Each structure stands twice: as structure tokens, then as C-alpha cells.
């Protein structure tokens, strides 16, 4: 069963748009656009874990540097490919929010070294099972992948709102106004600008929003002055990875969710660019995920997964070149060794970044709905699958403590709306369409 419809044969002559490298005058700003959109997510994971574990600031900075380094290498591998690794699609890689709670719980009980050891093992398992996922791709039809991608996008919107509210409340509404202006600018550029300029709509909105933040008092550049010019990630600062069975078990559950998310994101990007929505591409993408996660654990960082933001940005800007994303990966590696540049990127005001993120995450959700529309929702079982997957996946967002009475090993899964959505959609699709008694039922004619 095909997961998504294959694109109609392209009418363009010459290389596929995915393989075309734009001239440098466009390549650099387009790559910077991807970097700016993804940076907050890459810095947030190590920042939250480090803060929860009461690490000193210098150790948190090491976690961020290591995360940027691995994310950059993984992005280059995923976009350019190497033999059996990499989807060769415009996909940004980075650490996943799904692993935040397990990493904190493991770190509190066994130390960060156990987190990194569990990360290494989960990457090795991903490498081992990637071919199996390719053979089972028929178990991930639009009904499943569309639902998961939609929930990924919409469930991240509150985090974008948090970026806005963080300064919006204290700024007497100035942050809210700045975020609204940023969103409006993206819309205006998309509506009135010529196609060549519309590709930079997100970058333009972020640049104008940052300048507008100056007179509003919402720009803080102190981090640039305080940052070191050059440094190097130091994985030895946290000790060698240790392998603790409970920690590994928890991280494997997280990695299963990550794999489902990667499958969905890879197929979504493949559909958008008109290439790569097939089993071989998914297998190569998962192998890159696994290799990057092994490297990540070895270098004192966290599980690596495809970034949903890249799906949204490719859809909004219609820039399909994988070379654009590959260069953004190179820039991430540079930021890992030059903290002052990372501090400059981090100086983009929260309301500006939040406004852009609302557009990106909303677009990811919309892409999921577009894929979901390919499923037959007149079939009651399909409708029930979507209804339960969405409803149960939204519970952790609206009631974060809903599963508090349950054991921690269950909360590792249930506290993630994306995990719950993926599990429910997958199991119900399996029950309704891949068991002996499964028979499609249509709504009766009215």
C-alpha cells in the first residue's frame, strides 16, 4: 500500500529541483533561514535538561555546543547522503523534545552518562531495525502518517506561544504586538512579493522583527558580549557513557516514537518536493537517524531526529534544494565551535521567533491534514482512528499532570502527545485493516 501518492512526472528539464544548487548569493541566506528557524529547538533541549539537573552554566553551554555539532553533521548526512545513509532530501536534523522528560528522569537517577549510554544503544537499535521499517511501510498509510504529522505540528504551537508570552506578558503587550507583526509580515510577503523574494519570507520577517524589537526594548544582545569567541565541545566533561538497563529501556521507547516521526516527516518532505516518498528513502533516512544518534550519545548529546520545522519551511518557501539544507548543517557545526555566533543567533527576540514558529508549526499541521485527506474518511473505522488518535494525543497538552498517578515508565510514553497519537493511530489501523476480520464499512447512503 502506498503511503502517499507519487508525484506526477515532472515537466522540468535537467536535474531535479532537489539536486539543484542555487548560486551563492541565494544559497547562503536560504541556508541561514533554515538555521534560524531550527536553532531555538536545538538549544532548548540541552538547556531544559541541563537546567532541570542543576548543571552549571559552563556545562549547559557544552551540551548546547555538542548538540549543534551533532545536529550539523546529521543534517549534512541526511541531505547529501553517504552510500546507504541519508534520505538525500532537504531535511534538518536535531534533538527531539520527546526525549526531554526521560533524559531528565534518567539523569536525576543515574546521571547524564547513563542518558548518553542509552542514546548510543537506541541509535544502534535504529540502525538494526531500519530495513524492517522499510518492509513494513504499508503499515504507515496516510491515515497514520497524516494524523501523526498533524499532531506533531499542532502540538508544538504552545511552545511557540511560550516564546511569545515569555516577553509578551512582561512587555505590556509589546511582545504580542511584535509577534503579530512578524506573522503578518510573512503573510504580506507571501501575498505581494514576487516568487524569488517570497522564498525569503521567513528570513525577512525575522530580520524586520528583530530591528523592530530595538525601540520596543525587547532586544537583548548581552549574550553576544559575554560569549566566548572560540571553544570546542568536550564530551569527556560528563564522563564516558554508561549503560543502565532501565535507562536504555526508557530511551528505546522514545526512539520508537522518533522513528515513526522520522518516517512521517520524510514522507511529507518527499511528497512536497516530488521525490523520495518510498521505502528505500525511508530506510536511508532512518539509518542516518541511527548513525547520528550513536554519534550524539558518544559526544554527550541526545537522540537526533528529523525536525518538523524543515517540513514547514520547505512547504512555505517552496525551496526544494537539499544543498540549501546541507549548508545550514555546515553552519551549525561552525556555531558549535564559535559560541559568539550562536549567541548572535540566539539574540533573535522570543516574540519574533515565536511568531515565525507559529507559521512553521501550523504549516506542519496543515501538511499532515493534506496527507490525511488522502485517506477515506467516509469509512467509519478510519474516522474513529483519527478521532481517538487526535483526542488522546491532545490530553498531555491540555492537562500535563493527567497521568501523574501512573508509574514513571508509563509516563515516559503517555506524557508525549506525539507518542500517544502514533501508537493509537498505528494500532487501530492494524486492528481495522490488517487483521483477518477486518472489512471496510462505508457510511450508509442518505
Amino acid at each position: 500500500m502506498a503511503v502517499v501518492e507519487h508525484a506526477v512526472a515532472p515537466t522540468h528539464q535537467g536535474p531535479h529541483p532537489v539536486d539543484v544548487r542555487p548560486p551563492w548569493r541565494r544559497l547562503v541566506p536560504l541556508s541561514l533561514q533554515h538555521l534560524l528557524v531550527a536553532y531555538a529547538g536545538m538549544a532548548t533541549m540541552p538547556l531544559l535538561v541541563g537546567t532541570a539537573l542543576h548543571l552549571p552554566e559552563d556545562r549547559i553551554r557544552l551540551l548546547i555546543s555538542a548538540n549543534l555539532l551533532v545536529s550539523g553533521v546529521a543534517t549534512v548526512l541526511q541531505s547529501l547522503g553517504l552510500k546507504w545513509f541519508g534520505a538525500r532530501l532537504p531535511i534538518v536534523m536535531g534533538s527531539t523534545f520527546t526525549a526531554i522528560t526521560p533524559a531528565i528522569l534518567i539523569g536525576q537517577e543515574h546521571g547524564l552518562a547513563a542518558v548518553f549510554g542509552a542514546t548510543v544503544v537506541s541509535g544502534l537499535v535504529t540502525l538494526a531495525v531500519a530495513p524492517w521499517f522499510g518492509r513494513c511501510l504499508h503499515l504507515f498509510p496516510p491515515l497514520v502518517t497524516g494524523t501523526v504529522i498533524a499532531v506533531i505540528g499542532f502540538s508544538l504551537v504552545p511552545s511557540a506561544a511560550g516564546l511569545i508570552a515569555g516577553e509578551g506578558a512582561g512587555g505590556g503587550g509589546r511582545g504580542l504586538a511584535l509577534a503579530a507583526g512578524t506573522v503578518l509580515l510573512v503573510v504580506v510577503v507571501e501575498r505581494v512579493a514576487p516568487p524569488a523574494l517570497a522564498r525569503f519570507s521567513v528570513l525577512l520577517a525575522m530580520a524586520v522583527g528583530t530591528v523592530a524589537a530595538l525601540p520596543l526594548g525587547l532586544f537583548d544582545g548581552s549574550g553576544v558580549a559575554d560569549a566566548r569567541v572560540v571553544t570546542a565541545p568536550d564530551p569527556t566533561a560528563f564522563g564516558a557513557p554508561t549503560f543502565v538497563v532501565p535507562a536504555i529501556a526508557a530511551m528505546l521507547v522514545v526512539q520508537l516514537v522518533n522513528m515513526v516521526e522520522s518516517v512521517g516527516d520524510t514522507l511529507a518532505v518527499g511528497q512536497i518536493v516530488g521525490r523520495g516518498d518510498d521505502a528505500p528513502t525511508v530506510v536511508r533516512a532512518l539509518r542516518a537517524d541511527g548513525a547520528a544518534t550513536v554519534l550524539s550519545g558518544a559526544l554527550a548529546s541526545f537522540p537526533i531526529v528529523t525536525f518538523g520545522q524543515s517540513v514547514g519551511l520547505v512547504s512555505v518557501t517552496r525551496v526544494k534544494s537539499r544543498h540549501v539544507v546541507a549548508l545550514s548543517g555546515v553552519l551549525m557545526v561552525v556555531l558549535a565551535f564559535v559560541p559568539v555566533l550562536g549567541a548572535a543567533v540566539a539574540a533573535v527576540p522570543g516574540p519574533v521567533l515565536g511568531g515565525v514558529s507559529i507559521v512553521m508549526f501550523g504549516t506542519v499541521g496543515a501538511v499532515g491534514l493534506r496527507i490525511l485527506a488522502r485517506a477515506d474518511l467516509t469509512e467509519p473505522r478510519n474516522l474513529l482512528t483519527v478521532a481517538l488518535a487526535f483526542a488522546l494525543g491532545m490530553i498531555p497538552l491540555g492537562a500535563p499532570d493527567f497521568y501523574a498517578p501512573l508509574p514513571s515508565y508509563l509516563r515516559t510514553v503517555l506524557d508525549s502527545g506525539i507518542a500517544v497519537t502514533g501508537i493509537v493511530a498505528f494500532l487501530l489501523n492494524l486492528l481495522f485493516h490488517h487483521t483477518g476480520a477486518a472489512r471496510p464499512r462505508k457510511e450508509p447512503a442518505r
Side-chain angles (χ1 to χ4, degrees):
M1 181 189 303
V3 176
V4 292
E5 291 181 6
H6 290 275
V8 178
T11 58
H12 63 270
Q13 300 295 320
H16 193 282
V18 171
D19 298 321
V20 173
R21 183 179 67 82
W24 284 100
R25 66 180 183 276
R26 291 178 49 219
L27 180 63
V28 173
L30 287 171
S31 300
L32 184 61
Q33 188 169 235
H34 272 280
L35 173 65
L36 291 172
V37 168
Y39 182 87
M42 294 177 184
T44 298
M45 167 69 175
L47 179 62
L48 290 178
V49 173
T51 301
L53 297 179
H54 308 291
L55 297 181
E57 288 189 10
D58 61 327
R59 290 294 185 267
I60 294 177
R61 286 196 293 268
L62 286 176
L63 288 178
I64 295 175
S65 294
N67 196 25
L68 282 169
L69 174 60
V70 177
S71 297
V73 172
T75 298
V76 174
L77 177 62
Q78 192 71 275
S79 54
L80 297 185
L82 179 64
K83 196 75 172 176
W84 301 291
F85 297 84
R88 299 173 178 85
L89 293 173
I91 297 175
V92 173
M93 304 289 289
S95 56
T96 168
F97 286 3
T98 311
I100 290 178
T101 300
I104 292 173
L105 294 175
I106 294 169
Q108 289 173 340
E109 187 169 352
H110 305 287
L112 271 176
V115 176
F116 303 141
T119 298
V120 170
V121 174
S122 65
L124 292 173
V125 171
T126 302
L127 285 170
V129 304
W132 177 83
F133 258 75
R135 289 193 294 270
C136 295
L137 207 57
H138 63 284
L139 300 179
F140 297 90
L143 180 67
V144 175
T145 56
T147 302
V148 171
I149 293 171
V151 170
I152 288 172
F154 295 138
S155 66
L156 289 174
V157 170
S159 67
L163 289 170
I164 299 170
E167 295 182 44
R174 290 171 293 170
L176 296 176
L178 183 59
T182 302
V183 174
L184 180 62
L185 187 56
V186 173
V187 174
V188 170
V189 172
E190 180 66 26
R191 175 64 180 85
V192 305
L197 185 60
R199 292 169 180 160
F200 299 95
S201 59
V202 174
L203 184 62
L204 288 171
M206 295 181 75
V208 173
T210 301
V211 172
L214 291 171
L216 294 175
L218 295 177
F219 180 83
D220 181 10
S222 60
V224 179
D226 297 337
R228 298 175 61 182
V229 177
V230 179
T231 189
D234 182 14
T236 62
F238 304 95
T242 59
F243 303 95
V244 181
V245 172
I248 292 172
M251 201 61 76
L252 286 176
V253 173
V254 171
Q255 193 64 8
L256 177 61
V257 176
N258 293 342
M259 292 177 72
V260 174
E261 183 176 344
S262 290
V263 168
D265 285 341
T266 302
L267 293 172
V269 172
Q271 179 187 350
I272 292 169
V273 303
R275 190 181 82 178
D277 52 345
D278 52 35
T281 301
V282 167
V283 172
R284 292 197 306 270
L286 289 175
R287 286 193 182 121
D289 282 8
T293 299
V294 172
L295 178 64
S296 188
L299 295 182
S301 193
F302 308 99
I304 299 296
V305 69
T306 55
F307 251 32
Q309 291 94 317
S310 65
V311 180
L313 193 56
V314 171
S315 182
V316 169
T317 63
R318 298 175 294 282
V319 176
K320 302 177 180 180
S321 173
R322 58 196 175 105
H323 298 282
V324 168
V325 172
L327 180 57
S328 73
V330 174
L331 295 177
M332 292 175 208
V333 174
V334 173
L335 291 185
F337 291 93
V338 188
V340 68
L341 295 179
V345 173
V348 175
V352 174
L353 196 57
V356 167
S357 296
I358 284 178
V359 177
M360 294 299 99
F361 296 146
T363 302
V364 173
V367 169
L369 293 180
R370 185 172 68 183
I371 295 174
L372 184 57
R374 300 178 183 275
D376 182 6
L377 295 184
T378 63
E379 217 277 80
R381 290 170 176 172
N382 288 348
L383 197 61
L384 179 61
T385 298
V386 176
L388 286 176
F390 262 93
L392 296 175
M394 292 294 105
I395 288 177
L397 291 177
D401 297 325
F402 187 81
Y403 297 111
L406 300 180
S408 60
Y409 61 87
L410 287 178
R411 292 192 61 187
T412 298
V413 179
L414 298 177
D415 280 347
S416 169
I418 297 172
V420 172
T421 298
I423 292 170
V424 172
F426 177 80
L427 291 180
L428 289 182
N429 175 69
L430 202 63
L431 174 67
F432 290 148
H433 299 290
H434 296 277
T435 60
R439 297 178 189 275
R441 290 189 292 118
K442 296 284 186 178
E443 288 280 12
R446 296 178 185 264

